[in-house]
Amino acid sequence: MRLFHLSDLHIGIRLYNHDLREEQEYLFAQITDYVRQYRPDAILIAGDIYDKALPSAEAVQLFDSFLKSLCDASDKVEIMIISGNHDSAQRIDYLNFLLAKQRVHMVGIPPRRPDEYIEQVTMHDAYGAVNFYLLPFCKPSVIRGTFDESDTVYSYNDALHNLFAREQINENERNVLVSHQFYLPLGKKAEDVERMESEIRAVGNVDVVASDVLLPFEYAALGHIHKPMTVGENRFRYCGTPYAYSVSEAGQEKGILMIELGRKGEEPEITRLPLTPKRKVAVLEDTFENVLRQASEDYVQIILTDDRDLEIVDLQERIAMAFPNKLEIQRKYARREGIPDEMTEPVSSSPYELICQFIPDMDEEEQDIMKSVINEALGGAAE
């Protein structure tokens, strides 16, 4: 059975106030071409369809057009979609029962009551059944009611482990998980995982889930982490975003994953299908004159390294003409006596760290309360 794995589309996202609709349309056309070429049996989209819980009309229209093109490209493909932490669970789940009859499964809401389980879709090939488990982004407070009616407060790790423990997974058949969470390889620390600037990160990494819950699955199609990476084993994968949504992703090779499932017990074959952007996201670090020689329409962050003050009246205008999609300009001086490498000290991007700078004398209980408030605020937009 052949599967396509993509995630974190973030339709409607802006890069330094640049509208990326044209870039996303360009990449979605490439994905559609891959569907025509390789004819997958299923397309798995692992969450964060939109960048906001209340997407614009243009964002909804673009996703509608993308879905239509996928269905037109293959009249037999099953499309399985889950909500991510950026999405509105209720909006993604709307009319799922009706769309499922047209081979489009949009699951936005995870199990919430004892009689509810992770939604499954079963397909068959020459080697038997393949069971797809479609698990949207889960908060412990949302899924706790499936296994505990008490007021116990569960961590993400405990809540997800309890949720999976309820499922009667037939390990004699092939099983595939589609999930949008922060799964951590066993033996690693959350700080060891490189995160991108375009991701929402929980303070204190409280959203970490140990990856041993993935072991019953032949393949885990994961979303949430924006950089392509494996989670301990080659068969547990984050495919990453289809486009660089932050400067920290400049230079990453973006793409989607094609998975070939064989017999039970065989390692799946995984191939990356590259996506070529219309405009790249890049960082140019050089002198003013050298930067101008590299003019392009790419989205660029420019770091000027001239070791003297530039007395150029039209510096901004000349750069804008050479780089119409400029993101920002920074100045970096070469080290001289009494002059630091950077014009300014870097500012922490963590809300928690910024608050600690203003309130340095918080005790441990106050720190825990502050972390909880910030995490709720960051995740609340997707409710």
Side-chain angles (χ1 to χ4, degrees):
M1 184 172 293
R2 178 172 292 168
L3 317 175
F4 274 12
H5 170 199
L6 51 149
S7 76
D8 295 273
L9 307 181
H10 287 276
I11 299 174
I13 195 172
R14 302 182 74 87
L15 179 63
Y16 284 76
N17 208 36
H18 289 271
D19 186 350
L20 296 180
R21 180 188 175 98
E22 187 177 352
E23 309 300 328
Q24 292 177 325
E25 288 177 331
Y26 190 78
L27 294 171
F28 291 167
Q30 291 180 46
I31 295 171
T32 302
D33 288 340
Y34 279 136
V35 172
R36 292 193 187 95
Q37 180 179 355
Y38 291 104
R39 310 290 292 182
D41 299 288
I43 299 172
L44 315 177
I45 306 180
D48 279 356
I49 307 306
Y50 300 109
D51 191 57
K52 293 181 174 61
L54 294 174
S56 66
E58 292 78 13
V60 174
Q61 182 183 42
L62 177 54
F63 184 53
D64 178 71
S65 175
F66 180 43
L67 275 184
K68 182 179 184 301
S69 68
L70 293 178
C71 293
D72 289 345
S74 176
D75 58 358
K76 294 182 179 180
V77 68
E78 296 275 341
I79 301 175
M80 306 180 199
I81 302 165
I82 61 170
S83 64
N85 57 304
H86 279 252
D87 298 312
S88 164
Q90 289 76 14
R91 287 176 172 81
I92 296 297
D93 206 80
Y94 180 65
L95 292 181
N96 176 39
F97 73 96
L98 188 60
L99 292 173
K101 297 178 180 179
Q102 305 300 321
R103 307 186 312 280
V104 177
H105 310 268
M106 295 184 64
V107 183
I109 302 174
R112 295 171 296 179
R113 295 188 292 270
D115 60 339
E116 295 179 347
Y117 293 86
I118 300 174
E119 184 153 341
Q120 291 184 48
V121 176
T122 299
M123 299 178 64
H124 295 82
D125 64 7
Y127 303 119
V130 178
N131 305 307
F132 295 87
Y133 288 76
L134 310 183
L135 181 62
F137 176 72
C138 298
K139 287 186 176 181
S141 58
V142 174
I143 63 175
R144 183 185 64 196
T146 63
F147 51 81
D148 192 347
E149 297 294 337
S150 72
D151 293 329
T152 304
V153 177
Y154 290 89
S155 68
Y156 276 78
N157 186 59
D158 290 339
L160 267 293
H161 276 75
N162 286 337
L163 184 67
F164 278 104
R166 301 170 63 249
E167 298 293 326
Q168 297 180 352
I169 300 175
N170 185 350
E171 297 195 31
N172 293 318
E173 296 178 342
R174 293 163 297 166
N175 301 289
V176 173
L177 174 67
V178 186
S179 180
H180 191 97
Q181 301 283 158
F182 182 13
Y183 291 101
L184 187 67
L186 295 177
K188 276 201 171 187
K189 297 180 180 179
E191 295 78 14
D192 297 333
V193 178
E194 184 182 9
R195 305 294 295 274
M196 301 296 103
E197 294 171 0
S198 54
E199 298 176 29
I200 289 180
R201 283 171 276 183
V203 175
N205 293 306
V206 299
D207 56 343
V208 163
V209 179
S211 63
D212 57 330
V213 296
L214 306 177
L215 293 175
F217 299 96
E218 267 62 43
Y219 184 78
L222 305 177
H224 192 46
I225 305 297
H226 288 188
K227 179 181 180 179
M229 60 173 281
T230 60
V231 183
E233 298 189 28
N234 192 50
R235 61 196 173 109
F236 307 145
R237 292 287 194 107
Y238 287 102
C239 65
T241 56
Y243 188 74
Y245 292 138
S246 66
V247 173
S248 63
E249 297 165 68
Q252 287 184 12
E253 294 183 352
K254 298 295 189 177
I256 63 173
L257 297 176
M258 180 169 68
I259 301 93
E260 301 279 357
L261 287 181
R263 292 184 176 85
K264 175 72 178 179
E266 291 182 349
E267 190 74 13
E269 296 181 11
I270 303 172
T271 304
R272 188 181 70 86
L273 303 177
L275 295 174
T276 303
K278 187 171 186 177
R279 303 176 185 88
K280 298 178 181 178
V281 176
V283 178
L284 295 181
E285 184 171 344
D286 212 330
T287 64
F288 175 69
E289 294 300 334
N290 286 340
V291 163
L292 288 184
R293 295 188 185 100
Q294 304 175 61
S296 75
E297 293 191 359
D298 291 339
Y299 297 102
V300 294
Q301 179 191 67
I302 296 171
I303 304 174
L304 298 178
T305 62
D306 300 82
D307 60 358
R308 58 182 175 79
D309 288 334
L310 295 173
E311 298 179 0
I312 302 173
V313 176
D314 59 348
L315 181 147
Q316 291 275 359
E317 290 77 3
R318 290 175 65 183
I319 289 180
M321 289 181 64
F323 301 95
N325 295 305
K326 164 187 62 68
L327 301 178
E328 66 174 355
I329 303 172
Q330 296 182 5
R331 291 292 304 276
K332 179 178 180 180
Y333 289 89
R335 180 174 290 280
R336 295 185 296 175
E337 185 177 354
I339 299 179
D341 285 331
E342 298 290 341
M343 292 180 65
T344 58
E345 292 294 322
V347 178
S348 168
S349 61
S350 164
Y352 175 69
E353 291 176 5
L354 288 172
I355 289 172
C356 286
Q357 292 174 19
F358 284 96
I359 314 175
D361 55 350
M362 287 189 292
D363 59 30
E364 186 173 344
E365 181 180 359
E366 290 170 333
Q367 291 175 1
D368 289 340
I369 293 173
M370 187 59 65
K371 289 178 181 178
S372 176
V373 169
I374 294 172
N375 285 328
E376 188 65 30
L378 291 175
E383 291 291 348

